[in-house]
Amino acid sequence: MFRKLLVAAGVAGLALAATPASATTTATTVTCGPSALQSGLSTKVCAEVTGDQVQLYGQVSLPGPGPQSKELIVNLSGGIVGGASLGSVQGYRNFNSATIQVRGVGGTVPCGSTVHASFSVASYPWANTPVTLDLPIAC
């Protein structure tokens, strides 16, 4: 009985090994808008696209050498142009010279749509000046 079970398991394993792996893996592409200074820091907004899935993020980094610490008010938002919102994230983040990313906005986007993303950073005494990205989703 045990021998029959081993033979059956071996045949099942060969059948699985002979089946080719799915060739439908979709690459992720990252597209970023232009960088701009906000509150004395370099900022940009980016989109990671995998098929019809889009994840947006904002990034804050030092524009040059030298340590800098600031408490930031951040706002990341995105939506489909002429359509639904992909959400928004607002809050406080501490910046201590290391690059930070603000994430949490995204979702499924119909092929052929355009995604609009906006990222702003404010820190006293500077007001925000959002960086934006408009990205067509080709799928």
Side-chain angles (χ1 to χ4, degrees):
M1 180 70 166
F2 182 70
R3 193 177 297 172
K4 287 182 184 179
L5 185 58
L6 280 177
V7 170
V11 170
L14 286 174
L16 287 175
T19 305
S22 175
T24 59
T25 58
T26 304
T28 298
T29 59
V30 177
T31 304
C32 297
S35 296
L37 288 177
Q38 294 187 71
S39 298
L41 300 169
S42 178
T43 62
K44 65 182 174 181
V45 64
C46 302
E48 293 177 342
V49 180
T50 307
D52 65 352
Q53 296 295 308
V54 176
Q55 295 300 313
L56 305 175
Y57 66 91
Q59 185 167 298
V60 181
S61 59
L62 283 175
Q68 221 171 12
S69 292
K70 293 183 180 201
E71 184 172 297
L72 305 174
I73 302 168
V74 297
N75 185 355
L76 172 65
S77 62
I80 302 168
V81 174
S85 170
L86 295 174
S88 65
V89 173
Q90 301 93 24
Y92 293 94
R93 295 288 301 265
N94 288 319
F95 179 79
N96 293 313
S97 300
T99 299
I100 60 171
Q101 291 184 348
V102 176
R103 292 182 170 267
V105 175
T108 303
V109 176
C111 296
S113 300
T114 298
V115 170
H116 176 77
S118 176
F119 180 58
S120 65
V121 174
S123 178
Y124 182 80
W126 295 287
N128 64 19
T129 308
V131 289
T132 62
L133 172 66
D134 290 303
L135 181 65
I137 306 302
C139 300

